[in-house]
Amino acid sequence: MKIIYTHTDEAPALATQSLLPIITAFTGAAGIEVELRDISLAGRILAQFPDRLTDDQAVPDALTELGELATTPEANIIKLPNISASVPQLKAAIRELQGQGYAIPDYPDDPSGEDQADIRARYDRVKGSAVNPVLREGNSDRRAPQSVKAYARSHPHSMGAWSADSRSAVATMSDGDFRSTERSVAVSEATSARIEHVAEDGSVTVLKDALALEAGEILDAAVMEVAALRAFFRTQIKRATEAGLLYSVHLKATMMKVSDPIIFGHAVETFFPELFEPTGASAAELKAAGYRANDGLGALPATVTPTYEHKPALAMVNSDRGITNLHVPSDVIIDASMPAAIRTSGKMWNAAGELQDTLFVIPDSSYAPLYSEVVEDCKAHGAFDPATMGTTPNVGLMAQKAEEYGSHDKTFEIAAPGSVRVIDTVTNTVLLEHAVAAGDIWRACQTKDAPVRDWVRLALSRARATGAPAVFWLDETRAHDAEILAKVRDELAAHDTAGLEIKIMDVAAATRFTLARARAGQDTISVTGNVLRDYLTDLFPIMELGTSAKMLSIVPLMDGGGLFETGAGGSAPKHVQQFVEENYLRWDSLGEFLALAPSLELLAEKEAKPRAKVLADALDQATSRVLEENRSPSRKVGGLDNRGSHFYLALYWAQALAAQGADAELAARFTPLADTLAAAEATIVAELAAVQGGPVEIGGYYRPDPVLVAAAMRPSGTLNDALSRFVGAAREGAAA
């Protein structure tokens, strides 16, 4: 078993150039192999077009390789945050790669002919949440490590002050959305299905054929009715205008790569209806330019200027640069934007760079009650106190593309009125059916039986280990949840739950229960489906710890291996911007530190390598010291940045290894490095600080030049030399 470390995108990818040499030096000295695999957006794009690249440009399909590895007991993967690309991001990456000499084709918005259809299909395998469904062959155990939680309590981050007079509120649909139209069925026997559209004249179009369903699998279908959606947006625009609130749309246009960009496009069109009047001059210009509202205001032709008169003020992503909430779909990431607003007094930024009460517009009502309840709780009781609040770990159902995040290949924008139905092709019976109108968004989701049962077992395991109540966030009145609940209750009955507090609550009730306990300093395990897992593991960590990047995220893979995720990357683009402008990387690699320790522990357990456990224990000690001695990156130039935190991790890790008594030979091997780094501390810190303040060239955003990045991320010759000599000595020792 090898440890596979992933090369991803943006700030995490920059940090890898500094941290990975330290990791490989330390693990190599203990006889442990760590290998890098490129699953970055650029790498995934290039892997789709081997027929268009030269031999020296060819890129292996690392994601497919790791997906296969994840289904084996040998899997030990450390997965860093990656770009879940929206179409504008995908197009930007394509342009950059073309400029670097890669002869890949343009992205066809409206493919015509077999060649363009093939190109579009290849790119569609890359965009959106292409990585996580492939690698997540297990359910999620995500929690704040004790050392991190203790640090947050003793060094609480700032929280905005809430007022009972706050007019901020959450708006969501009550009818015609995915939640209200959802239908669900569990199949008793393995079968095959076909999704088809039946037009009003009786003509049938097959949308997807040969959909395999396992015995016990749950199949859901739901439709977002476009007429209801647009009416909802218009109502909320009027409401925000009359109330003087910022208008802010919150979606997941990255992970929900098919449905949510379409919803985003309707948000743009309803906010600027004058641009899209069929007989207007703007509409003709937009059509001639090939503009799609799904791509946002940022893609508007320069000749078209939207008007903001007689409309509510838009929430801003970047007030200084004039980037609104409707500029780029990939900026609209609900699990990042809502916690940030909740932390900041329930307000968002307006065009003047000031905080203002906001109408949070969340179209689908499936999970909107989570945020509505938090907003109302903070109005009533004020901001949460990180120094006293309890912790809310999560056990998330996500294995084998469970639930909505596996819907992409079964999501369709309906071309004509009629119905969409799912046909069991073995029995020739209708499993699910919806009446649809042109423009409606219809989607189907699958949830297999084995992941649900594994999820229940994982929840019980965490409840036993912690003594905290485990709350299943499930709603009897929702079609999908009712099917899940039948399996949950069946699985619970098969286990000894004596002494465990197990609860089942809908989203609103579970939120209220958990918030009350958190305010009382009590811990609660949230046991949720895939989307709520995403939302909760940003919301509560941002309130508790200041960031979700400090969470420990373990995915025990169902076939025996392990996937170790390193936290959220929502702030990664801003960190890259700061790095390029100031040669200062604020990204905190704590998530990587936390993920490496259990990865080493898995290796020790599976391969009977005691030195891996020694490394893991010493790494835990080093990580605690990084926190306790405030060696995490600071926010501004002049302080310790990402590279400095890596140096201190190396120093503390080497010192812990030199001092441990479990392996005298290993201690002796690390003692000279610990002494060298300690003696050179002032010099190394000065070398790292000396490069700060000016711009730095990295040769690209999506595929930066590795030589330039390595030089920028490893500017301390003293540290580099110390590691190089240590690696050489370790090799000589191993050879002897």
Side-chain angles (χ1 to χ4, degrees):
M1 176 183 281
K2 301 174 182 177
I3 295 175
I4 305 298
Y5 200 94
T6 54
H7 168 73
T8 56
D9 303 288
E10 299 174 324
L14 298 178
T16 295
Q17 289 279 8
S18 169
L19 180 59
L20 191 58
I22 294 169
I23 292 173
T24 55
F26 280 59
T27 55
I32 295 166
E33 294 182 80
V34 177
E35 295 184 355
L36 189 67
R37 294 290 188 278
D38 183 358
I39 58 169
S40 66
L41 174 59
R44 301 192 322 264
I45 290 172
L46 295 177
Q48 294 298 318
F49 296 97
D51 51 322
R52 295 173 182 254
L53 304 179
T54 63
D55 289 344
D56 61 337
Q57 290 178 329
V59 171
D61 188 353
L63 180 58
T64 296
E65 175 197 344
L66 294 187
E68 294 169 354
L69 178 63
T71 62
T72 71
E74 290 74 36
N76 190 343
I77 303 167
I78 296 176
K79 191 263 173 186
L80 278 68
N82 63 278
I83 292 175
S84 294
S86 64
V87 170
Q89 285 177 302
L90 184 60
K91 290 178 177 178
I94 292 167
R95 288 193 298 270
E96 180 177 301
L97 290 168
Q98 290 170 336
Q100 293 174 346
Y102 295 96
I104 57 174
D106 290 335
Y107 177 85
D109 285 311
D110 299 300
S112 59
E114 290 186 8
D115 184 54
Q116 284 206 331
D118 173 63
I119 293 169
R120 174 65 176 266
R122 296 196 209 188
Y123 280 130
D124 283 351
R125 290 196 289 268
V126 171
K127 72 182 183 184
S129 57
V131 172
N132 291 339
V134 173
L135 298 185
R136 287 173 171 169
E137 287 290 324
N139 293 309
S140 170
D141 170 12
R142 199 150 191 238
R143 57 189 187 270
Q146 289 185 355
S147 58
V148 175
K149 183 65 176 174
Y151 179 83
R153 280 180 165 153
S154 59
H155 301 81
H157 54 273
S158 62
M159 296 282 281
W162 277 79
S163 168
D165 298 327
S166 170
R167 294 178 299 117
S168 292
V170 171
T172 192
M173 297 174 72
S174 59
D175 194 28
D177 62 342
F178 289 127
R179 168 66 175 81
S180 62
T181 63
E182 185 176 69
R183 293 168 188 172
S184 186
V185 63
V187 297
S188 57
E189 303 290 338
T191 189
S192 180
R194 178 179 68 251
I195 303 173
E196 59 186 28
H197 173 262
V198 183
E200 290 181 331
D201 63 3
S203 58
V204 176
T205 301
V206 175
L207 302 177
K208 187 174 183 63
D209 205 0
L211 178 63
L213 298 172
E214 298 178 359
E217 187 163 359
I218 297 169
L219 178 68
D220 309 321
V223 60
M224 175 66 77
E225 297 173 2
V226 66
L229 174 67
R230 292 175 72 93
F232 166 75
F233 279 139
R234 288 191 291 267
T235 297
Q236 303 316 316
I237 290 168
K238 181 181 179 186
R239 176 182 173 185
T241 302
E242 293 175 348
L245 299 173
L246 287 181
Y247 182 76
S248 184
V249 177
H250 298 264
L251 299 165
K252 186 75 167 177
T254 49
M255 290 289 280
M256 298 307 301
K257 63 182 180 181
V258 181
S259 60
D260 283 25
I262 299 172
I263 297 172
F264 179 83
H266 287 296
V268 173
E269 289 184 5
T270 52
F271 198 85
F272 298 101
E274 67 280 359
L275 295 182
F276 301 94
E277 289 291 341
T279 58
S282 295
E285 281 190 72
L286 295 179
K287 184 176 181 181
Y291 173 77
R292 295 157 56 91
N294 297 11
D295 293 342
L297 298 181
L300 278 174
T303 55
V304 176
T305 303
T307 176
Y308 293 88
E309 295 180 6
H310 311 299
K311 297 183 173 93
L314 279 174
M316 305 299 289
V317 172
N318 188 317
S319 302
D320 294 336
R321 298 171 62 191
I323 299 175
T324 74
N325 187 254
L326 295 180
H327 262 67
V328 184
S330 56
D331 284 342
V332 184
I333 305 176
I334 184 171
D335 45 318
S337 58
M338 284 303 302
I342 289 166
R343 182 181 166 183
T344 315
S345 311
K347 302 174 186 286
M348 296 191 74
W349 298 99
N350 62 24
E354 299 170 343
L355 288 170
Q356 183 176 334
D357 284 346
T358 303
L359 183 63
F360 304 109
V361 180
I362 305 173
D364 183 36
S365 61
S366 296
Y367 308 112
L370 163 68
Y371 298 115
S372 180
E373 292 291 341
V374 177
V375 167
E376 296 307 314
D377 182 272
C378 288
K379 286 182 187 179
H381 303 292
F384 283 81
D385 183 355
T388 60
M389 69 182 296
T391 189
T392 305
N394 180 267
V395 176
L397 171 61
M398 66 178 192
Q400 299 180 357
K401 304 179 183 180
E403 303 184 318
E404 294 94 333
Y405 286 166
S407 67
H408 314 310
D409 62 339
K410 300 176 288 293
T411 301
F412 307 97
E413 189 172 19
I414 302 305
S419 65
V420 175
R421 61 191 185 189
V422 183
I423 306 293
D424 185 323
T425 55
V426 175
T427 64
N428 199 33
T429 57
V430 177
L431 295 175
L432 300 165
E433 185 172 13
H434 286 93
V436 292
D440 285 354
I441 307 165
W442 185 95
R443 74 180 185 202
C445 316
Q446 295 168 261
T447 308
K448 294 176 170 46
D449 181 76
V452 176
R453 298 184 184 280
D454 178 79
W455 173 59
V456 175
R457 292 191 291 270
L458 182 58
L460 294 177
S461 173
R462 294 306 303 155
R464 289 191 192 97
T466 63
V471 180
F472 286 82
W473 293 47
L474 295 169
D475 183 353
E476 294 270 16
T477 67
R478 180 180 170 185
H480 167 76
D481 286 11
E483 295 291 348
I484 291 284
L485 268 169
K487 295 181 182 296
V488 168
R489 288 175 172 137
D490 182 64
E491 188 64 27
L492 286 173
H495 295 272
D496 179 8
T497 59
L500 303 181
E501 186 176 355
I502 309 296
K503 293 182 177 294
I504 295 171
M505 297 179 170
D506 63 40
V507 173
T511 304
R512 291 192 296 270
F513 178 80
T514 304
L515 293 177
R517 289 182 58 84
R519 285 192 182 277
Q522 298 171 318
D523 304 341
T524 312
I525 301 169
S526 58
V527 189
T528 73
N530 211 345
V531 174
L532 271 174
R533 173 200 57 79
D534 235 10
Y535 292 1
L536 294 183
T537 57
D538 273 322
L539 173 64
F540 283 101
I542 285 173
M543 292 196 295
E544 291 179 34
L545 314 174
T547 174
S548 57
K550 295 182 178 181
M551 294 288 280
L552 174 61
S553 185
I554 299 174
V555 182
L557 299 174
M558 292 174 62
D559 289 308
L563 174 68
F564 306 93
E565 299 186 291
T566 67
S571 59
K574 294 181 180 179
H575 294 339
V576 176
Q577 180 184 351
Q578 182 182 16
F579 181 71
V580 170
E581 294 174 353
E582 301 179 332
N583 200 347
Y584 189 84
L585 186 62
R586 206 173 81 208
W587 175 259
D588 191 342
S589 291
L590 180 64
E592 288 94 292
F593 307 165
L594 296 173
L596 180 57
S599 172
L600 288 165
E601 290 171 348
L602 177 68
L603 184 65
E605 176 189 344
K606 293 280 187 180
E607 299 284 312
K609 291 187 175 181
R611 282 187 168 173
K613 184 64 167 67
V614 172
L615 282 180
D617 291 343
L619 177 57
D620 280 338
Q621 295 175 44
T623 301
S624 294
R625 283 190 67 186
V626 167
L627 289 169
E628 292 163 2
E629 300 185 22
N630 197 25
R631 304 302 189 183
S632 298
S634 58
R635 297 178 65 86
K636 296 181 180 179
V637 171
L640 200 72
D641 80 342
N642 176 266
R643 297 164 290 192
S645 72
H646 294 168
F647 159 66
Y648 277 104
L649 180 81
L651 170 61
Y652 300 155
W653 196 4
Q655 289 175 334
L657 285 164
Q660 56 83 25
D663 188 326
E665 182 182 347
L666 199 63
R669 191 170 293 176
F670 276 92
T671 296
L673 177 63
D675 293 342
T676 298
L677 294 180
E681 177 182 355
T683 300
I684 293 170
V685 170
E687 289 174 346
L688 295 173
V691 300
Q692 296 180 17
V696 61
E697 176 58 50
I698 59 174
Y701 184 88
Y702 295 97
R703 195 169 181 81
D705 185 317
V707 175
L708 293 177
V709 175
M713 289 303 300
R714 303 188 68 198
S716 170
T718 304
L719 175 58
N720 298 342
D721 182 61
L723 288 173
S724 179
R725 284 187 283 110
F726 172 71
V727 170
R731 285 174 180 163
E732 291 177 6

